[in-house]
Amino acid sequence: MLERISWDAYFMNIAEMVAERATCNRAKVGAVIVKDKNIIATGYNGAPAGLPHCTDVGCLIYVSRNPDGEEEENCFRTIHAEINAIVQAAKHGVAIQGADIYVTASPCYHCMKTIMNAGIRRVIYGRPYKIHRIAELIETGIIACLQLER
């Protein structure tokens, strides 16, 4: 008898495929929002629809400083995968309250705040990305944030 992969692995595999559509030169990230084992929205990092993508015209990098003084570079042109998935659900009138989100990399601080406000109950991520930045949000206990071990 063939052993089936877990639901978490299944949805993370789909998030990895979604990431292949990303148009950011620096990182390919995919997100899948799931409710009751059904995919309700997907997103990948890239420019807003109809605008030039980083793959076509290059990244538009800016440097910001975190409250602790650490500098980080971000792309002004790119919308993150998690935000794009949440926007896709909103655009189509799909409720995401109580859903899970599968992301190929752990969310940044801004995405995590948005995920929390959207009522998503669980974040399942593939690889850690500056996970220390969202530790205080995770510690609130409002949302579960789990790395899918592979």
Side-chain angles (χ1 to χ4, degrees), residues 12-13 16 24 71 82 86 89 147:
M12 187 61 73
N13 287 347
E16 289 169 357
C24 176
E71 286 187 351
E82 303 92 322
I86 291 168
Q147 182 176 14

Side-chain angles (χ1 to χ4, degrees), residues 28-51:
K28 287 183 174 282
V29 179
V32 176
I33 300 176
V34 175
K35 192 168 187 179
D36 301 324
K37 297 181 182 162
N38 290 292
I39 296 170
I40 58 177
T42 64
Y44 49 86
N45 53 333
L51 295 181

Side-chain angles (χ1 to χ4, degrees), residues 16 38 40 59 61 63 92 114 117 148:
E16 289 169 357
N38 290 292
I40 58 177
C59 291
I61 302 299
V63 177
H92 296 287
T114 303
N117 246 19
L148 182 62

